[in-house]
Amino acid sequence: MELSEFLNTRKQFPPLPENYVENARWEEEFMFNAWVKKYPESEHQNIKEQLKYISEYSLKYPDFDGEEWHPSHSALSHYQYRDDKLKNSGLSEKEFYDFDILQEAIKDLGLSAKPTFEFIVYIWHELRRWLYNGNIERIEDKVNRLVSRIDERPDDSMELDIKVGGKHFRFSNKKFIKSVIALFLNSKSDSGDYVETIYPTKREIDYILICTLLRNLPIKHKKQKKGTFSQAERNFGLSVLWLTGELNHRKGDDPTDFCTKENNVTFDKLMRDFKDMPLPVIDPFI
């Protein structure tokens, strides 16, 4: 499936140096022990439990300054801004714990509820910003990316579709299309500074949300068949989509009709449609 321009512009991180996670773990632990002292000692163990899944994820995807990797300390930042994230994300801790289908799935997957909720908030808060705020891109960058694609696959057919009002004008002449692009790139006008906002699609975000959770949570149950999803994973994924509002339903609807095997087709089609999508790294600013 063709991905949105938003996802095509997400930067890919280079691979981590060998043994990075193992070597960085002690630094993360040292930083946490120094940071947590700002809170009463009676709360330390509870905070550590809340953040343990986020901490493990952050170790896999540290900050990269172009030359070196550095621990991101994203878990500490998450806790500091937790109340704001809950408000901005629209997630309810009470709804999470009262959601019987979701709680049963968490139990079946061998997970702990408290750090699972924090990880959902951590991931969803950022993905929601992607979905509704998008990303600013310069038109010149977009055209340059198109030129690179043409250079990589010069024999591909091309079609230019221009919409003016309600009318479409389509051109399939390669020389004409290339001349339009060349005219833009060679122009001395200010057109290169124009920008537009690009967005991911809702279903792309749904897939990233569920797959990021399922691939990074320490699920302990055994699958019946490699490459397939268990019913507990399906129920978990559908329930998370319900919790975030991504699974369309009306007030008063019974989640049993949406978040169990009765709705497996929704989960399976989402996984099938985007199975080849490389997952982007989610590293919230706050």
Side-chain angles (χ1 to χ4, degrees):
M1 181 172 289
E2 190 72 22
L3 299 182
S4 65
E5 285 295 300
F6 180 94
L7 288 185
N8 284 327
T9 61
R10 302 303 298 181
K11 291 183 179 179
Q12 296 296 315
F13 287 83
L16 286 173
E18 187 177 356
N19 299 325
Y20 173 85
V21 173
E22 291 78 1
N23 294 334
R25 196 177 297 278
W26 73 267
E27 185 176 346
E28 287 280 277
E29 187 72 18
F30 178 82
M31 176 64 72
F32 175 85
N33 290 336
W35 167 85
V36 80
K37 290 179 180 178
K38 68 173 70 176
Y39 301 98
E41 188 173 354
S42 59
E43 298 178 13
H44 291 186
Q45 190 57 41
N46 182 60
I47 294 173
K48 188 170 186 178
E49 171 69 11
Q50 279 183 270
L51 301 180
K52 67 180 182 180
Y53 294 167
I54 300 176
S55 297
E56 284 300 314
Y57 180 81
S58 299
L59 276 173
K60 298 177 187 176
Y61 305 106
D63 291 334
F64 183 67
D65 63 10
E67 295 183 1
E68 295 181 331
W69 294 96
H70 307 278
S72 67
H73 312 308
S74 295
L76 313 187
S77 176
H78 167 81
Y79 193 82
Q80 182 177 350
Y81 294 98
R82 183 178 185 274
D83 290 343
D84 290 335
K85 286 189 173 188
L86 282 173
K87 182 172 64 175
N88 295 336
S89 68
L91 292 176
S92 165
E93 195 166 4
K94 182 179 185 304
E95 184 181 357
F96 171 82
Y97 283 106
D98 289 345
F99 201 155
D100 292 339
I101 298 172
L102 178 54
Q103 293 301 317
E104 187 64 30
I106 290 172
K107 181 180 178 181
D108 289 345
L109 296 174
L111 301 172
S112 299
K114 185 179 296 184
T116 297
F117 177 72
E118 298 302 325
F119 193 40
I120 291 172
V121 174
Y122 176 83
I123 297 297
W124 172 240
H125 180 265
E126 183 66 6
L127 291 182
R128 189 177 187 276
R129 297 204 306 186
W130 291 7
L131 184 59
Y132 293 108
N133 296 343
N135 189 45
I136 300 297
E137 182 180 33
R138 294 170 65 239
I139 299 299
E140 184 176 358
D141 293 336
K142 188 172 186 176
V143 174
N144 284 331
R145 192 168 64 255
L146 174 60
V147 171
S148 296
R149 174 68 182 269
I150 293 173
D151 290 341
E152 291 171 2
R153 307 179 66 172
D155 296 328
D156 280 7
S157 61
M158 288 189 288
E159 186 174 277
L160 178 64
D161 186 349
I162 300 175
K163 183 178 181 181
V164 181
K167 294 184 178 180
H168 285 263
F169 301 88
R170 290 185 174 87
F171 304 90
S172 56
N173 185 300
K174 280 189 177 183
K175 289 184 178 180
F176 173 75
I177 295 173
K178 288 183 176 181
S179 69
V180 171
I181 296 172
L183 182 64
F184 174 88
L185 293 176
N186 294 326
S187 172
K188 295 183 179 180
S189 69
D190 294 331
S191 59
D193 294 327
Y194 292 164
V195 298
E196 66 174 4
T197 304
I198 54 177
Y199 299 89
T201 69
K202 175 183 176 298
R203 296 190 77 239
E204 286 173 341
I205 291 297
D206 292 350
Y207 178 83
I208 295 168
L209 171 63
I210 299 309
C211 275
T212 299
L213 292 170
L214 291 179
R215 292 183 189 179
N216 291 281
L217 286 169
I219 293 172
K220 297 176 182 176
H221 84 299
K222 292 183 179 180
K223 295 188 178 186
Q224 294 181 346
K225 184 179 179 182
K226 186 178 180 180
T228 64
F229 292 96
S230 67
Q231 192 58 52
E233 288 175 307
R234 289 184 172 95
N235 289 0
F236 176 84
L238 292 168
S239 296
V240 169
L241 292 178
W242 174 288
L243 190 72
T244 57
E246 287 298 279
L247 192 61
N248 294 328
H249 61 86
R250 293 170 297 187
K251 187 176 181 180
D253 281 344
D254 185 354
T256 304
D257 298 330
F258 293 82
C259 305
T260 63
K261 63 181 180 180
E262 306 300 328
N263 198 27
N264 277 353
V265 62
T266 296
F267 179 94
D268 291 344
K269 188 174 190 313
L270 181 66
M271 297 298 108
R272 185 169 59 250
D273 287 349
F274 293 96
K275 62 182 177 63
D276 297 323
M277 177 200 291
L279 287 181
V281 174
I282 301 170
D283 186 21
F285 293 113
I286 60 172

